[in-house]
Amino acid sequence: MTLSVCLIVKDEQDVIARCLNCASKFADEIIVVDTGSTDETVTEAKKFTDAVYFFAWRDDFSAARNYAFGKADCDLVMWLDADDVITDENCEKILRLKENFDRYDMAFLPYAASFDGDVPTFVYNRERIFRNGMGFEFEGAVHESVTPRGRILYSDAVIYHKKVKENEPMRNLRILQKQIAAGAVFGPRQKFYYGRELLFNNMPREAAAVLEDFLNGDGWYVNKTEACLNLYRAYMLTGDESRAVAALLRSFTFAPPMPEACCILGGYFMQKGDNLAAVYWYEAALKTPSSARDGAFENLDYSGFIPYMQLCVLYDRMGDIEKANACNEAAGAIKPLNENYLGNKKYFSEHRASGKDK
């Protein structure tokens, strides 16, 4: 099957060639829609494709992405951002994916959005490839998404989101508040993201009000659990610890505990000096299965490195040097160059040399 890769871009001259060089390895057609660049983005794009179009920006990412999809002529359509990067290995996986797509209507691919060096630490699944002509469309002016339907494939071909510049400050919040001023009534998903944007822009009281409203209504369980973690942070910023902890525990009513929630509780009890309770929650984080396939935002450090490092500290406090050292080595297997791991390794080596564990 043939594949059209679609991008919407603005002032991406520093990264667009990097992205399109990757896309050209598996795309049968590349479509670039420029929304108002003032740099050399268009010139760079035309080195890879003649299908460069222009779309007047109107504070609506879905409108721009749907316009790009409307230009696609291939059997399948795929979206990328200009600062996305795909390794040769993952390009090969996408090539194989499109060759065997006849049994599917859409595909989710892992999206790696944060890194420790070159190792992904924040990964979640995004709807990425769609069968053309089935009416798949993005919804939402910001945090746009396509509602899943039909026969769905979950691929392991990872897209790396390698940003080199920050987004316009408060851009998403400004767009959402512009919609509210125009009389828009948000559905559950947009309400969830509005609460997140308020929190990310240092408005914790306003964020708490919106997130509470979201949690009391309908919504996807993945967003509900994430909203509880954001509500915890909002209440902690306002100094309301009891409500913060209650919000965190509320996340367990929507789904099994997330590793991040377990680690937050571990840290809470660790700060209180309750070592046994802290150990319980950090060990729970290690046992909790990944929820990335469900579309949850997942920081992989909470599933391994963070709980191992904290358990190292806790077991050392409790006098169990063997367990402490074992946890540190488990953390080191994940991040062998980490300074904290190496410092602990030196500490345990000196401890053994001094004979204190005898």
Side-chain angles (χ1 to χ4, degrees), residues 249-264:
L249 295 174
R250 188 177 178 184
S251 70
F252 303 163
T253 67
F254 299 112
M258 297 171 63
E260 184 174 356
C262 293
C263 285
I264 292 172

Side-chain angles (χ1 to χ4, degrees), residues 260-282:
E260 184 174 356
C262 293
C263 285
I264 292 172
L265 279 168
Y268 174 79
F269 284 109
M270 194 173 180
Q271 189 175 35
K272 298 286 185 184
D274 190 338
N275 293 336
L276 289 176
V279 165
Y280 174 88
W281 284 109
Y282 282 123

Side-chain angles (χ1 to χ4, degrees), residues 189-201:
R189 188 175 187 279
Q190 286 299 93
K191 195 177 292 184
F192 162 67
Y193 278 105
Y194 181 43
R196 288 178 76 237
E197 291 297 335
L198 288 166
L199 177 62
F200 296 164
N201 286 280

Side-chain angles (χ1 to χ4, degrees), residues 292-346:
R293 175 162 175 165
D294 295 334
F297 299 119
E298 185 170 65
N299 186 327
L300 299 179
D301 281 348
Y302 289 112
S303 298
F305 183 75
I306 289 173
Y308 278 128
M309 288 298 290
Q310 295 298 80
L311 285 167
C312 170
V313 174
L314 285 162
Y315 281 124
D316 183 60
R317 283 183 184 177
M318 296 163 67
D320 193 333
I321 300 302
E322 280 194 23
K323 278 190 177 181
N325 183 51
C327 289
N328 190 58
E329 289 304 311
I334 300 170
K335 297 187 180 184
L337 300 180
N338 180 268
E339 290 183 3
N340 292 325
Y341 156 69
L342 294 172
N344 289 345
K345 190 176 182 69
K346 181 181 179 182

Side-chain angles (χ1 to χ4, degrees), residues 213-227:
D213 185 43
F214 164 70
L215 287 169
N216 290 328
D218 295 330
W220 187 28
Y221 80 94
V222 169
N223 288 348
K224 294 269 188 177
T225 55
E226 179 72 19

Side-chain angles (χ1 to χ4, degrees), residues 230-251:
N230 288 324
L231 193 56
Y232 165 84
R233 297 184 179 96
Y235 281 133
M236 288 299 283
L237 287 171
T238 64
D240 196 336
E241 183 178 296
S242 60
R243 282 191 176 181
V245 175
L248 194 63
L249 295 174
R250 188 177 178 184
S251 70

